[in-house]
């Protein structure tokens, strides 16, 4: 990403808050069996997929919306949401992409044309709910890597889908996962074959655009034995007055000796100072370290959404497997985030690391909620967690809710947390050296987040840093 | 001889406590001014007032620097105009890389002077050169700002910043505290090298020792928030012998 | 009777309590502070209901409470029975309100001068449900120490009790709760409320040694410059479920909370530590500190540690917590054995060093000795 783009990101209140007019094909609001049949038919899905969706729908009907997170919001009327929207035409090449969409990407600073050239990044661009364009696929195909939309995968690789979908996040795992399982619109599918190291960062940019349309993405990544993949997910959404529901599901499976790196930058519309219009973000992300010596790393920078409910987790089943979670979450305005992770240790000598940095400003409420669980079988397992919070201003809140469970004598859990404000001393020291107050705050915040930002892939890190500055602008003082 | 800084009838308080009660002080271009005085005399408050520390509230009087009234300026504006303070206790800032911090500060200054910013490579060259001169360990520049530095390393790091930022008015706030004799020599040498006809130093100290290494042109004795006596190095000798009380009737 | 069958409509006279309970609902396995305790079977079980009678009090050098009835007390203590005691209106525990609902005569002790006091609680009823409450008022400027001791014979029984403690301005109370429970079928849920007024200090030491199922829920509130020091030791064996949960609210400026939790579990015992420290917005310049450590002596022993913080002001002097769970330090164990100390004894030394911080703070040898006896007791 060039400096120009960084500047562009910095110089605005919510630069990404624009709206694009595209003719949309939209399902009428409401959720019923008919809605699900409609979605499935639109996507020309096989009967077995429809059956699974219906099963999830019936389970969802019996479930209750969870209320244990430290977030408050008015009740969601699930019947007022439209569960399907798509650009009308199916598009084959870049030339066919609606110029409005291309302009939208340009405004976001990620023109598709340039992305091809961008450091070998392949992009599967999702606009609203249908994949518009997939690039680099051929090059990946040569290595046997499958990188396509989940709809295509359902048609083209039914065996893989049947085997792995719902295997990490069962369709009835929780209320929002069940909803997603019933109505998921599209998403990404990745399969890395045995021994293959994916040579480029795989990226998907999600955008929510259609008014009143929930975004129900579904992602499934499988890393077969000895393989490696790094996947980046970045988001932004136009500003709106109505709350938009987002309930995504991400499933990762790492086989023996495989390593999956999953990075997220989340910058959806955070709402106004009263929280009006922001995105509701209820996400289920879970990875299974199935095989020995496998590793899953979650890295996230969360700056957007008015409500965030998100716990990227690792089930450490294979012996010696490793789970990592690195997170920066910023809440300002009236944002509320309840985010963290779950590290479930089952295999021997499994290891997990949790580094969480929460920053609260204005009226933001930031909660870390994390579970570390050592099963009786997890002999020699180790966990280390560090959860730090930074408060900026006196109307915000920072909360830490760890759950540490152990049934195994030889397992070790170590958890540390601190909450502090930016110290006047630090601020003054930097200002005495001629650095503007705003820049000094930014410098201290970047220092605070450094351990996490350094885990992001290079390109992504630059973007995340710019986003951090943009987010903090006007939040201080 | 031209005046670098003129302090007129300065009254200031910290919290509810009136500490400076009418300081009048003139500091000249190219000279070294030592400020001495017993604990609680207002030495540190004076230096904080000069750099615009938020704890200090100026209730009366003025600070004129290079002919401009800077009494109400922001700290960074004063810094960019060339006022530098070497802190007694430099703060640690985790995660903020020493080199990165210093480049940001230098480029802020260069921007202020209408000069183009130095890129990372140019800056690193400059930094390494200075580090070598000071006899610092190179790995220190890649560590977090002041984090895990020993007392001596922290003081050297302050001097390093001074050399890079090339200020016009330097306050050394008890730079000698917590230094052993070798470190004190090293720091003093570095400071003496920085003495030029255009640069003014204000040395705050309790002890005579550092003044043997950095010879002051003027010595000012503070007590109870006022300047009790101004003179040359002979004052220090008198102080050594008799203590502060000898000036009380002056 | 079953606790779950309690019909709120029958308690019309206690309107405020009924309303509060209706808004909170009955505790369920999903209720945050009961999540790991297994509350359902206890509330679902059939017991003989029992209302502790008021009897004449025999003079003695300590207080004795038998199944909720005060039987002995020193002359220097003022004892009365309250029909409408002031109730904490922001307690997080439903059973706090249920307990108050079921109790018509709250025992009330007034501490009007500096003193050291011992309270012996005897639990003797079998298959019975016994609810009672104790209120303690510590007068301004008073410095008091209370040591509570348990003697348990009650099998298949459920006891609800709890302290409502009021610390007046400038007072100090040290409460040592020495809870040894040797019966697996004994169940107890105790819900305490402690109000610390300006400049007061509450020092709490609790020791849960045993095999029973007990959960103690503490709601502690701190006004300006008040301080609390809440330390606990859990040593659970066999199929014990021993837990302490806390909501400690720093409500006033310059208030301080210091909490140390040490837990040792063996066999299939379960330990629960759920400590939420809250700093409200007006409580500027407060300091909170929390440190939880656990040793599991074998696989299958189970510890749940939830050191939690909620902070609503940026002006905090300190806010840190740490938690570790693991086994005895193998290196240290080897070192001791290399010096000729038998393995079991070396283990005991390390376990004691693990508890040292708390024993040292308490400055009392007796409980330490008791712990050693219990620890050495092997089948």
């Amino acid at each position: 990403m060039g400096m120009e783009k960084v500047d562009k990101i910095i110089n605005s209140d919510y630069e990404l808050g624009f709206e694009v007019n595209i003719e949309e094909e939209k399902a009428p609001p409401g959720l019923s069996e008919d809605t699900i049949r409609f979605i499935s038919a639109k996507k020309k899905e096989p009967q077995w997929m429809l059956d699974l969706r219906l099963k999830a729908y019936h389970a969802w009907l019996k479930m209750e919306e969870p209320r244990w997170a430290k977030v408050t919001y008015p009740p969601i009327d699930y019947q007022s949401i439209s569960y399907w929207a798509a650009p009308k035409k199916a598009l084959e090449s870049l030339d066919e992409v609606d110029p409005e969409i291309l302009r939208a990407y340009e405004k976001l600073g990620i023109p598709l044309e340039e992305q091809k050239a961008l450091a070998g990044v392949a992009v599967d661009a999702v606009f609203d709910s249908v994949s518009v364009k997939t690039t680099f696929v051929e090059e990946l195909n040569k290595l046997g890597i499958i990188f396509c939309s989940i709809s295509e995968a359902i048609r083209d690789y039914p065996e893989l889908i049947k085997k792995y979908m719902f295997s990490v996040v069962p369709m009835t795992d929780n209320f929002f996962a069940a909803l997603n399982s019933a109505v998921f619109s599209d998403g990404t599918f990745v399969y890395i074959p045995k021994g293959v190291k994916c040579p480029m960062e795989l990226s998907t940019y999600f955008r929510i655009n259609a008014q009143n349309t929930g975004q129900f993405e579904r992602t499934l990544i499988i890393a077969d034995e000895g393989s490696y993949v790094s996947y980046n997910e970045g988001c932004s959404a136009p500003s709106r007055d109505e709350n938009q529901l987002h309930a995504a599901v991400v499933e990762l499976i790492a086989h023996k000796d495989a390593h999956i790196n999953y990075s997220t930058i989340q910058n959806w519309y955070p709402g106004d100072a009263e929280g009006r219009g922001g995105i509701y973000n209820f996400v289920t992300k879970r990875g299974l370290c199935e095989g020995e010596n496998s590793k899953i790393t979650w890295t996230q920078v969360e700056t957007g959404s008015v409500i965030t409910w998100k716990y990227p987790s690792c089930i450490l089943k294979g012996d010696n497997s490793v789970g990592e979670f690195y997170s920066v979450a910023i809440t300002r305005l009236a944002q509320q985030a309840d985010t963290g992770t779950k590290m479930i240790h089952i295999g021997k000598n499994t290891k997990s690391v949790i580094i969480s940095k929460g920053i609260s400003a204005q009226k933001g409420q930031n909660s870390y909620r994390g579970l570390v669980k050592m099963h009786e079988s997890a002999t020699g397992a180790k966990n280390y967690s560090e959860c730090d919070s930074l408060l900026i201003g006196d109307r915000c809140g920072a909360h830490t809710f760890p759950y540490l469970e152990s049934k195994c004598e030889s397992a070790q859990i170590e958890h540390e947390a601190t909450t502090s404000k930016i110290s006047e001393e630090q601020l003054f020291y930097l200002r005495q050296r001629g650095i503007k107050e705003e820049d000094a705050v930014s410098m201290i915040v970047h220092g605070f987040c450094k351990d996490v930002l350094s885990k992001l892939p290079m390109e992504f890190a630059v973007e995340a840093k710019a986003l951090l500055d943009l987010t903090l602008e006007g939040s201080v003082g | 001889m031209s005046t670098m800084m003129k302090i007129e009838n300065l009254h200031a308080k910290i919290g509810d406590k009136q500490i400076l009660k009418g300081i009048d002080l003139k500091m000249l271009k190219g000279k070294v001014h030592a400020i001495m005085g017993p604990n609680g005399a207002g030495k540190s408050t004076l230096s904080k007032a000069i750099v615009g520390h938020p704890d200090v509230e100026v209730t009366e009087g003025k600070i004129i620097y290079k002919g401009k009234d800077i009494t109400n300026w922001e700290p960074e504006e004063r810094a960019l105009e060339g006022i530098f303070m070497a802190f007694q206790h430099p703060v640690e800032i985790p995660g903020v890389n020493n080199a990165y911090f210093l480049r940001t500060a230098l480029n802020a200054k260069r921007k202020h002077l209408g000069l183009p910013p130095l890129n990372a490579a140019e800056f690193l060259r400059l930094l390494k050169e200075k580090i070598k001169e000071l006899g610092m360990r190179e790995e220190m520049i890649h560590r977090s700002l002041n984090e895990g530095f020993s007392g001596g390393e922290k003081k050297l790091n302050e001097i390093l910043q001074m050399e890079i930022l090339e200020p016009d008015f330097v306050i050394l706030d008890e730079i000698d505290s917590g230094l052993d004799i070798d470190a004190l020599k090293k720091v003093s040498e570095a400071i003496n090298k920085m003495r030029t006809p255009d640069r003014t130093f204000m040395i705050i100290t309790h002890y005579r020792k550092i003044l043997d290494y950095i010879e002051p042109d003027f010595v000012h004795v503070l007590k109870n928030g006022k300047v009790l006596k101004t003179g040359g190095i002979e004052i220090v000798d008198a102080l050594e012998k008799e203590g502060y009380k000898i000036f009380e009737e002056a | 009777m079953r606790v779950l069958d309690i019909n709120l409509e029958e308690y019309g006279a206690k309107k405020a309590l009924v309303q509060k309970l209706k808004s909170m609902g009955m505790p369920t396995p999903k209720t945050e502070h009961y999540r790991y305790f297994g509350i359902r079977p206890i509330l679902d079980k059939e017991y003989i209901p029992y209302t502790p009678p008021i009897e004449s009090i025999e003079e003695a050098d300590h207080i004795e409470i038998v199944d909720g009835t005060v039987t002995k007390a020193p002359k220097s203590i003022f004892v009365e029975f309250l029909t409408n005691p002031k109730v904490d209106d922001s307690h997080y525990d439903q059973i706090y309100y249920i307990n108050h609902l079921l109790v018509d005569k709250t025992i009330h002790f007034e501490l009007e001068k500096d003193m050291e006091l011992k309270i012996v609680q005897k639990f003797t009823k079998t298959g019975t449900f016994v609810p009672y409450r104790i209120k303690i008022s510590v007068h301004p400027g008073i410095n008091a120490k209370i040591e509570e001791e348990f003697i348990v014979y009650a099998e298949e029984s459920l006891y609800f009790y709890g302290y409502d403690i009021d610390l007046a301005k400038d007072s100090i109370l040290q409460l040592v709760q020495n809870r040894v429970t040797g019966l697996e079928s004994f169940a107890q849920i105790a819900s305490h409320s402690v109000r610390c007024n300006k400049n007061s200090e509450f020092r709490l030491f609790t020791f849960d040694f045993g095999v029973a199922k007990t959960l103690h829920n503490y709601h502690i509130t701190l006004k300006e410059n008040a301080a609390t020091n809440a330390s606990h030791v859990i040593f659970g064996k066999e199929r014990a479920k021993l837990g302490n949960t806390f909501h400690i609210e720093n409500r006033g400026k310059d208030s301080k909370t210091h909490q140390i939790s040490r837990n040792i579990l063996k066999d299939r015992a379960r330990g629960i530590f759920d400590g939420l420290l809250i700093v409200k917005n007006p409580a500027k310049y407060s300091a909170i500190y929390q440190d939880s450590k656990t040793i599991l002596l074998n696989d299958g022993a189970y510890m749940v540690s939830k050191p939690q913080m909620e902070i609503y002001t940026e002006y905090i002097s300190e806010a840190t917590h740490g938690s570790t769970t693991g086994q005895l330090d193998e290196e240290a164990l080897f070192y001791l054995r290399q010096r000729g100390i038998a393995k079991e004894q070396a283990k005991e030394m390390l376990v004691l060093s693990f508890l040292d911080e708390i024993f040292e703070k308490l400055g009392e040898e007796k409980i330490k000795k008791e712990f050693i006896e219990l620890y050495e007791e092997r089948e």
Side-chain angles (χ1 to χ4, degrees), chain C residues 330-349:
Chain C
E330 295 281 353
E331 295 283 315
L333 196 60
F334 177 76
Y335 185 89
L336 293 174
R337 295 174 70 191
Q338 207 286 321
R339 294 290 182 267
I341 299 164
K343 188 176 173 185
E344 288 308 317
Q345 196 191 347
K347 272 191 175 180
E348 186 180 310
M349 285 170 75

Side-chain angles (χ1 to χ4, degrees), chain A residues 82-188:
Chain A
S82 172
Y83 290 85
W84 169 259
K88 267 182 178 172
K89 286 188 292 174
L91 298 160
E92 305 253 308
S93 80
L94 268 184
D95 309 333
E96 286 180 49
V97 174
D98 190 313
E100 286 230 39
I101 295 177
L102 291 180
R103 263 203 298 283
Y105 280 121
E106 255 162 62
K107 232 176 162 178
L108 278 167
I110 44 159
L112 274 182
E113 302 94 312
E114 267 183 36
Q115 295 211 344
K116 280 190 180 177
L118 247 171
V121 177
V123 173
D124 172 23
V126 175
F127 192 85
D128 274 358
S129 310
V130 169
S131 287
V132 178
K133 192 64 217 162
T134 307
T135 47
F136 281 94
V137 169
E138 278 175 30
E139 199 175 321
L140 294 172
N141 276 348
K142 279 183 210 152
L143 292 164
I145 294 173
I146 305 170
F147 179 44
C148 64
S149 75
I150 208 104
S151 317
E152 284 173 83
I154 289 167
R155 286 194 302 270
D156 301 343
Y157 311 100
E159 294 317 312
L160 286 173
I161 293 288
K162 280 182 190 167
K163 183 171 173 192
Y164 289 110
M165 193 185 264
F166 310 118
S167 75
V168 184
V169 180
M171 59 169 65
T172 55
D173 185 79
N174 67 69
F175 182 83
F176 295 109
L179 179 63
N180 175 288
S181 302
V183 303
F184 68 89
S185 34
D186 213 328
T188 308

Side-chain angles (χ1 to χ4, degrees), chain A residues 240-403:
Chain A
R240 296 216 169 265
D241 281 327
E242 279 154 86
N243 288 305
Q244 292 178 300
L245 175 66
H246 188 268
V249 170
V250 176
E251 290 176 284
L252 312 181
I253 295 117
H255 287 284
K256 192 166 173 268
D257 300 317
H259 181 187
I260 302 175
N261 231 327
Y262 195 104
S263 311
T264 303
I265 292 178
Q266 189 267 108
N267 180 31
W268 290 326
Y269 184 55
D272 61 14
E274 308 306 320
R276 279 187 297 258
I279 301 290
Y280 288 6
N281 188 23
F282 299 97
V283 186
T284 307
K285 290 185 168 178
R286 195 174 302 156
L288 171 64
C289 283
E290 165 76 39
E292 277 171 45
N293 305 314
S294 56
K295 180 173 176 183
I296 289 178
T297 304
W298 297 102
T299 309
Q300 60 175 28
V301 176
E302 302 276 323
T303 61
S305 298
V306 65
I307 306 281
T308 301
W309 182 99
K310 182 180 173 191
Y311 316 92
S313 307
C314 297
I315 300 169
L316 303 169
K317 190 176 159 204
D319 290 350
N320 308 314
S321 60
V322 177
E324 295 176 328
F325 175 75
Y326 302 102
S327 170
V328 168
I330 302 180
T331 52
R332 58 188 180 117
L333 302 164
Q335 285 175 284
Q336 307 170 59
D338 194 299
T339 183
T341 183
K342 293 181 199 172
M343 292 291 174
I344 315 289
H345 292 252
I346 299 167
K348 288 189 182 66
N349 299 317
T350 46
K351 287 188 180 48
S352 64
V353 176
I354 299 171
I355 309 282
S356 162
K357 306 281 180 180
I359 299 162
S360 314
Q362 295 168 336
K363 285 193 284 179
Q365 297 291 327
N366 208 322
S367 301
Y368 165 81
R369 188 183 303 276
L371 169 71
V372 176
K373 190 168 190 164
M374 299 291 183
H375 280 260
E376 218 172 314
S377 52
T379 48
K382 278 197 175 83
N383 158 265
Y384 175 75
S385 312
E386 190 185 306
C387 306
D388 296 325
S389 308
L390 197 62
L391 291 153
I392 303 172
D394 206 33
R395 289 176 302 159
C396 52
H399 319 301
T400 318
F401 304 119
Y403 293 67

Side-chain angles (χ1 to χ4, degrees), chain B residues 152-196:
Chain B
E153 283 174 329
K154 277 186 186 169
K155 294 283 159 83
L156 269 183
N157 199 29
E158 296 289 289
I159 301 299
L160 171 70
Q161 292 175 29
M162 177 177 83
E163 294 202 350
I164 299 266
L165 295 174
E166 301 184 319
D168 303 319
F169 184 86
V170 177
I171 303 169
L172 304 168
D173 188 5
E174 302 198 18
I175 193 89
D176 46 348
S177 75
L179 289 187
D180 59 35
I181 202 79
D182 290 336
L184 183 60
K185 264 190 199 161
K186 206 165 165 184
V187 165
S188 302
E189 261 169 43
I191 291 167
N192 281 328
K193 264 192 219 158
M194 293 284 290
R195 284 178 80 160
T196 69

Side-chain angles (χ1 to χ4, degrees), chain A residues 3-22:
Chain A
M3 273 317 286
E4 232 181 73
K5 192 181 147 197
V6 176
D7 285 342
K8 223 194 271 175
I9 292 175
I10 292 172
N11 293 325
S12 72
D13 202 35
Y14 187 75
E15 179 89 5
L16 313 181
F18 56 88
E19 200 175 309
V20 188
N21 251 332
I22 312 160

Side-chain angles (χ1 to χ4, degrees), chain B residues 103-166:
Chain B
R103 182 155 74 98
T104 308
L106 177 60
N107 280 339
K109 171 125 194 193
R110 289 178 66 91
K111 190 178 169 193
H112 184 74
L113 297 174
L115 298 169
L118 289 190
N119 66 32
E122 290 165 335
F123 175 74
L124 216 59
R125 214 173 301 132
L126 172 70
L127 186 59
K128 280 187 177 165
E129 192 184 299
K130 296 285 181 193
I131 281 210
K132 217 171 159 188
E133 275 176 31
L134 280 172
M136 286 168 76
R137 285 177 296 137
E138 206 176 301
E139 54 113 4
M140 278 176 61
I141 61 178
H142 301 297
R143 297 230 301 258
S144 286
L145 188 46
N146 292 326
E147 205 182 29
F149 286 22
S150 72
E153 283 174 329
K154 277 186 186 169
K155 294 283 159 83
L156 269 183
N157 199 29
E158 296 289 289
I159 301 299
L160 171 70
Q161 292 175 29
M162 177 177 83
E163 294 202 350
I164 299 266
L165 295 174
E166 301 184 319

Side-chain angles (χ1 to χ4, degrees), chain C residues 344-374:
Chain C
E344 288 308 317
Q345 196 191 347
K347 272 191 175 180
E348 186 180 310
M349 285 170 75
L350 292 178
V351 166
L352 281 172
S353 76
F354 175 74
L355 301 179
D356 204 47
E357 203 174 331
I358 290 180
F359 284 135
E360 199 168 293
K361 255 198 183 143
L362 179 62
E364 253 217 66
E365 279 299 303
K366 206 187 103 228
I367 293 176
K368 187 172 171 177
K369 274 190 196 130
E370 227 167 82
F371 171 77
I372 295 171
E373 271 168 37
L374 282 164

